[in-house]
Each structure stands twice: as C-alpha cells, then as structure tokens.
Amino acid sequence: MNKIMDRKLLNRFYDRGFLFIGIFATSISLIFLLALLLDILADGMGRLGWQFLSSYPSRKPEEAGILSAWVGTAWIMVLTGCIAFPLGVSAAIYLEEYSRKNWLTDIIEINIANLAGVPSIIYGLLGLSLFVRFMNMERSVIAGAMTLAILVLPIVILSTREAIKSIPPSIREASYALGASKWQTIRNQVIPAAMPGIMTGVILAMSRAVGETAPLITIGALTYVAFLPTSPISSEFPYLSFQGFFDAFTALPIKIFNWVSRPQKGFAIDAAAGIIVLLVITFVMNAFAIYLRQKYQKKIRW
C-alpha cells in the first residue's frame, strides 16, 4: 500500500514538474517574441505612412517605399491559394476516400509526408528548373506562385486528410442510408464537416508561404521593381487581362532582405516598417481564414 502511495506521489511530482517546465519554456519564447516585436515597432512605426505604402523603392532610404512589394505579395498569395487549395483538397479526398490501399499509395503517402519537411530552397531550385526554364514562364508572378504552391501543397494535403479522418463514420452511413452516392456524401456531408480542420491547414500553409524568401530569390524575383503587375481588369472586351500573371515582380520578404543587407541605418528602419506591414498582411489572411473556419464550425452539429 505504501509503495502505491509513493508511486502516486512520484507521478504527481513528475506531472507538476513537466507542467512547470512547459510553462517556463513557453514564457521564455513569448518574452523573446515580445521583445522582438517591441524592437520592430519602436524602429518601424515612425516610418509607416501613406508615402511609405504608396511609393516605389528608392536608393534614398527616406524616400523608399513598398508599393511594388506589397502588391506583389498580394498577387503571389492570392494565386498561391487559388492553386494550392483546390489541388491539395482534391488530392487529399482521392487518397482518403477513393484510392486503394496498396504499395503505390503507401509510397505516395510517405513521399507527401517527407515533402512537408524539405527545405524551401529545394522548392526554389525546382521552380527555377521547371517553371522558369523548362516551361518558359521567366521570372513572373505565376512562376513564383506555382513554386510557393508546391511548397505548401504537402501541408494542405496532410491537414485535409486528418480533417477527413476525424469525421465520424455515422455521418457517411446516414447519408448512404438516405440514398446518396459516394460523391454526394463527400461533397454535402464530409467536406463541410471537415472544413474547420481544412481551413486550419490552409492558415498554416499560407502563413509559411507569405514569409518565404529563399524560393523567390532562387527563381530570380527582382529586388528593385518600379512598376506594378498589369491589372486583371481591362477596359476592353473581355474585360479581363492575364498579362499580370507573366509580369516581373518583387515581394515584401525579398525587399526586407535587401534592406537589411544595406549598411545605411535608414534602410534598417525601412526593413522594420516592412516587417510590420508583412505581419499585418499575415494577420489579415489568418483572420479571414479563421472567420471561414468558425463559420463552417457553427454549422456542424454531431
């Protein structure tokens, strides 16, 4: 009896010790993050303004702006989402609902899991060889978006598969009992129920993509761009233009990296302001994805 009591006390000691270690590690991380954010805000807030957001890059730090950079980032993120989301969700649905469990699907699943941990520079080299050179897309917006889409595709696939696995079998069985086909069950029952988990994966994927620099530098994205991609809305029939997809571009991570490498202190202040804008863009994207996730979650009633 005494041994059992001693074992319980020891287990409680281990549990509390692990709890304190976790709180300590989390607190240290949050302190460093807070210190970094305060330092960036102190350096960059004074530089923020309409002139900074609406001006093109300049060799003079006090005149430099991020217009082409944040517009290029917006283009890249929208296209990356439009490519990665349908491809990733479709691949996950096939692997989880339609594919047969054999050696081929096992190899595909192992490779998808491994691709999620591949360094981003490797995807940049792939994009340079496949999209820029082989497909002759040059250093364009669509080449950058497709490179980042491949980068985040494994994250979308894995998170979507986990979300689909979490749906209770009773949902499918009830749908089949009412005469629905397999595709009708997936489209009307499984996907809406799994959407909160899918959107969580999309949030993680897009958050990684928005800050990636190495793949864009590898494919040759420019650091100095004094123009914007062509607007997708045209004044002539059919009132849509795809020329912007093939225009040269820059992005906020590249511009920030370029400014940080400059010796002038003014460019370091510009970089801090650019980081603040990049954080705001990231928070806005995440907030929109969280809103969609919560919207679908409210509709779910098990």
Side-chain angles (χ1 to χ4, degrees):
M1 187 69 179
N2 291 332
K3 289 183 178 180
I4 296 175
M5 294 298 296
D6 291 341
R7 174 61 63 182
K8 288 183 177 180
L9 291 175
L10 186 62
N11 289 337
R12 288 182 182 179
F13 174 77
Y14 286 151
D15 289 341
R16 290 188 177 182
F18 183 77
L19 176 63
F20 289 141
I21 291 173
I23 294 174
F24 176 76
T26 304
S27 300
I28 292 296
S29 302
L30 291 176
I31 289 171
F32 278 109
L33 177 61
L34 181 61
L36 179 62
L37 289 176
L38 290 176
D39 182 62
I40 292 173
L41 291 173
D43 290 341
M45 284 300 294
R47 186 69 179 86
L48 287 177
W50 179 249
Q51 186 272 336
F52 182 71
L53 295 174
S54 61
S55 298
Y56 290 104
S58 173
R59 295 181 179 179
K60 299 178 180 180
E62 63 276 5
E63 298 179 2
I66 58 169
L67 177 61
S68 56
W70 73 260
V71 171
T73 296
W75 270 83
I76 289 292
M77 288 301 100
V78 170
L79 288 178
T80 299
C82 290
I83 295 170
F85 181 77
L87 284 179
V89 173
S90 299
I93 292 173
Y94 170 76
L95 290 172
E96 197 61 35
E97 298 289 343
Y98 289 98
S99 65
R100 297 180 179 178
K101 302 301 179 182
N102 51 38
W103 63 270
L104 180 59
T105 55
D106 290 340
I107 292 176
I108 293 174
E109 291 174 1
I110 292 172
N111 278 280
I112 290 174
N114 290 336
L115 286 173
V118 171
S120 59
I121 188 67
I122 305 300
Y123 289 98
L125 294 172
L126 174 63
L128 177 65
S129 301
L130 180 60
F131 303 126
V132 176
R133 295 178 178 173
F134 180 75
M135 300 181 68
N136 293 321
M137 292 182 178
E138 302 301 332
R139 294 164 173 82
S140 60
V141 172
I142 188 65
M146 294 182 74
T147 301
L148 291 181
I150 294 178
L151 171 68
V152 303
L153 201 56
I155 302 174
V156 178
I157 293 174
L158 292 174
S159 61
T160 301
R161 291 193 66 188
E162 291 302 319
I164 293 175
K165 286 179 181 178
S166 67
I167 305 303
S170 58
I171 299 294
R172 297 178 176 84
E173 293 169 359
S175 180
Y176 293 146
L178 293 174
S181 64
K182 187 178 184 67
W183 170 240
Q184 288 174 328
T185 300
I186 294 172
R187 183 185 62 189
N188 299 323
Q189 304 299 328
V190 176
I191 296 302
M195 191 56 69
I198 295 173
M199 294 308 301
T200 300
V202 172
I203 292 171
L204 296 174
M206 298 305 292
S207 298
R208 179 182 179 183
V210 73
E212 285 292 346
T213 307
L216 300 181
I217 292 178
T218 305
I219 67 171
L222 304 177
T223 57
Y224 182 88
V225 175
F227 57 86
L228 300 179
T230 305
S231 173
I233 301 176
S234 173
S235 59
E236 300 178 357
F237 185 82
Y239 308 111
L240 292 175
S241 174
F242 299 100
Q243 178 58 41
F245 294 174
F246 303 97
D247 288 342
F249 74 100
T250 189
L252 269 173
I254 294 178
K255 181 53 63 178
I256 293 168
F257 175 79
N258 177 255
W259 279 338
V260 169
S261 63
R262 299 285 189 91
Q264 297 94 327
K265 182 174 177 55
F267 283 117
I269 296 175
D270 290 340
I275 291 172
I276 295 173
V277 175
L278 185 60
L279 287 174
V280 170
I281 292 175
T282 304
F283 290 152
V284 169
M285 289 195 317
N286 288 351
F288 179 69
I290 291 172
Y291 166 76
L292 293 178
R293 183 180 67 187
Q294 295 297 328
K295 183 179 179 180
Y296 278 99
Q297 205 161 17
K298 289 179 180 179
K299 297 180 179 180
I300 299 175
R301 296 291 185 270
W302 300 120

